[in-house]
Amino acid sequence: MLRIFNRIKTLVSDAAAFARAWLYIPPKNTNALLITCPNPNLYHRFFYLLVKMYKLSGYSIYYPMDFAKFRNLRNKDRYLGLMVREKHFLSIRKKNMPDHVVELTQDMLSPDYFKSYFALKNREENVFHVPMSFHPFMYHKGLWSQEIDTGKKRLNAVFCYGNFDPKAYLAIKKTTFSVATRIDLLNFFRKQKSFVSITGKKDITDSGDFLDRKYVFAIKDQYQIPMEEVRELLSYFNFYLCCPGVVMPLCHNVIEAMSVGTIPLIQKEYAEVMYPHLKHGINAVIFEHLDHLKAILADEIFNYSENEISSMKRHVLDYYNDYLSPEAVVKNVNKSIQNDQLIYLQAEHRSVKFRP
């Protein structure tokens, strides 16, 4: 009985939301995106993120759909559902749509994101890889563009934060990727004399120079950083250790770090599934394996001059502004559409399963 009641309650809520969406007419806008993709669920959060980039870049979004499709989008995936849950995010009909629009169709997109890397040794031409983004809620809550002081004196230290649950983050070992897992990386750093595990924000902000030349970890079980403070805390450090995600190297943390000029300390395979690739000593510090990482920690990471750090930080910010910001992503996707290029869009587990 309770299950039937909840179904009816959801149906009524969806019907009311659909009616509100039907009544919404976007203001006239010279920049508009028309979506004609029947199966956005294939791409989960990454479809929302791509469309959100257009929204943040000042585009009106048109995505004609019936009630069944609206319900599917609204309830199937919590991130994809933001497309119809965010107020005035898109129009579900073509009312007031300008004559000239950018059209995004299903056949423009491919979920085989890692084909270039594995099958073609990163020599594939006439394609575009939509880059990794912040966590979806960073855009949803407006946290992605909060003003951060990127010019303050920083700790000459390596920072890392996040979830290190071995049950979740060992799945990448079952894939074709050969990156060190985040569990491998945590265990590696725990053996270093300069390893520090913090339990709160003040451990960073009130540390003075205690954390200089340290490897500073905010492990979720001990200190879960509020999303509102992530970019601020990243901006206190010269370097950020990039840990891989659940089933692929790419993870939103690296983008959040680069947005405030924090230099990625990153494994080579990870750096090479970012497009354009990150470059050692230019906009990243790149290691090939754990033995190589050990050598970098001993001889290199804390021995860069202030000028070298400033140069790398500037190049990190340039990379973010040129390739990762919403405006840059939209500009590059539009260019790819105009040039009839295939656009690779991540589809999480599905993208990985394409690989042998």
Side-chain angles (χ1 to χ4, degrees):
M1 196 70 175
L2 180 61
R3 184 180 297 177
I4 295 173
F5 173 78
N6 286 334
R7 285 179 179 174
I8 294 172
K9 183 179 178 182
T10 300
L11 178 61
V12 171
S13 176
D14 289 344
F18 183 77
R20 290 192 298 270
W22 184 263
L23 293 172
Y24 171 62
I25 301 174
K28 286 226 173 200
N29 191 347
T30 54
N31 293 322
L33 176 70
L34 172 64
I35 304 170
T36 53
C37 296
N39 186 24
N41 304 76
L42 173 64
Y43 299 97
H44 298 287
R45 69 173 67 186
F46 294 104
F47 195 88
Y48 162 75
L49 286 165
L50 175 58
V51 179
K52 184 69 171 178
M53 297 293 176
Y54 277 91
K55 187 71 175 178
L56 292 172
S57 299
Y59 280 67
S60 293
I61 313 297
Y62 295 85
Y63 196 173
M65 66 184 76
D66 59 17
F67 183 50
K69 186 176 186 63
F70 182 89
R71 290 198 75 199
N72 182 277
L73 275 178
R74 194 166 188 258
N75 300 310
K76 200 89 171 183
D77 181 276
R78 65 172 176 164
Y79 299 123
L80 190 58
L82 294 173
M83 292 178 61
V84 292
R85 289 182 178 273
E86 287 185 18
K87 187 176 182 180
H88 296 165
F89 182 87
L90 54 75
S91 172
I92 61 172
R93 51 191 180 136
K94 294 182 179 180
K95 185 79 173 177
N96 218 28
M97 190 176 75
D99 294 332
H100 301 287
V101 298
V102 175
E103 186 172 2
L104 184 66
T105 67
Q106 194 88 27
D107 60 2
M108 292 175 178
L109 304 174
S110 169
D112 195 2
Y113 196 86
F114 300 105
K115 176 183 177 182
S116 297
Y117 181 77
F118 284 113
L120 301 170
K121 298 182 179 179
N122 269 336
R123 293 174 183 164
E124 189 173 17
E125 298 180 357
N126 204 36
V127 298
F128 176 71
H129 291 77
V130 178
M132 194 67 183
S133 310
F134 291 179
H135 189 283
F137 284 151
M138 294 283 272
Y139 300 104
H140 175 63
K141 296 180 179 181
L143 303 175
W144 71 279
S145 60
Q146 282 184 328
E147 193 167 334
I148 302 292
D149 179 8
T150 60
K152 61 175 173 282
K153 181 174 172 54
R154 300 189 180 211
L155 294 161
N156 192 26
V158 176
F159 183 49
C160 187
Y161 74 96
N163 187 352
F164 289 87
D165 178 4
K167 292 180 181 179
Y169 288 94
L170 289 180
I172 197 170
K173 283 192 169 183
K174 298 177 182 178
T175 72
T176 316
F177 295 109
S178 58
V179 289
T181 70
R182 61 176 58 198
I183 311 306
D184 293 334
L185 289 167
L186 176 60
N187 290 337
F188 171 88
F189 276 94
R190 271 184 169 151
K191 295 175 183 176
Q192 311 304 314
K193 290 182 180 179
S194 296
F195 174 83
V196 176
S197 179
I198 61 173
T199 58
K201 182 178 180 178
K202 287 188 175 181
D203 289 350
I204 296 173
T205 58
D206 296 349
S207 67
D209 59 1
F210 170 73
L211 294 180
D212 268 340
R213 305 177 76 88
K214 299 288 198 308
Y215 314 123
V216 184
F217 278 67
I219 300 168
K220 182 181 178 181
D221 289 347
Q222 300 164 19
Y223 173 34
Q224 183 171 359
I225 301 175
M227 195 172 283
E228 293 77 9
E229 298 175 2
V230 164
R231 294 177 67 244
E232 176 197 352
L233 293 184
L234 282 163
S235 73
Y236 280 89
F237 294 87
N238 279 342
F239 303 99
Y240 178 73
L241 173 66
C242 302
C243 295
V246 176
V247 294
M248 61 184 175
L250 293 163
C251 184
H252 57 86
N253 304 132
V254 64
I255 312 304
E256 293 152 8
M258 294 183 75
S259 76
V260 295
T262 301
I263 302 161
L265 172 60
I266 189 168
Q267 194 162 0
K268 185 173 183 285
E269 186 175 44
Y270 194 157
E272 291 183 353
V273 291
M274 294 180 67
Y275 301 92
H277 308 322
L278 298 182
K279 296 180 180 178
H280 181 74
I282 304 297
N283 50 26
V285 177
I286 297 175
F287 62 94
E288 295 193 12
H289 43 71
L290 292 182
D291 285 341
H292 187 211
L293 174 59
K294 188 174 183 178
I296 284 176
L297 297 183
D299 304 327
E300 186 172 345
I301 193 77
F302 297 139
N303 294 327
Y304 289 109
S305 69
E306 287 188 15
N307 285 340
E308 288 172 321
I309 292 291
S310 294
S311 176
M312 280 195 282
K313 188 175 81 170
R314 184 175 66 254
H315 283 118
V316 167
L317 288 169
D318 287 345
Y319 187 104
Y320 174 81
N321 290 324
D322 290 344
Y323 302 108
L324 305 176
S325 68
E327 293 82 3
V329 171
V330 167
K331 177 182 176 181
N332 289 323
V333 171
N334 284 348
K335 183 178 177 181
S336 297
I337 292 172
Q338 291 166 7
N339 293 337
D340 200 26
Q341 293 180 326
L342 181 63
I343 299 169
Y344 286 121
L345 183 63
Q346 290 180 60
E348 297 185 287
H349 292 74
R350 288 184 175 91
S351 289
V352 175
K353 286 179 180 177
F354 271 93
R355 298 298 95 227

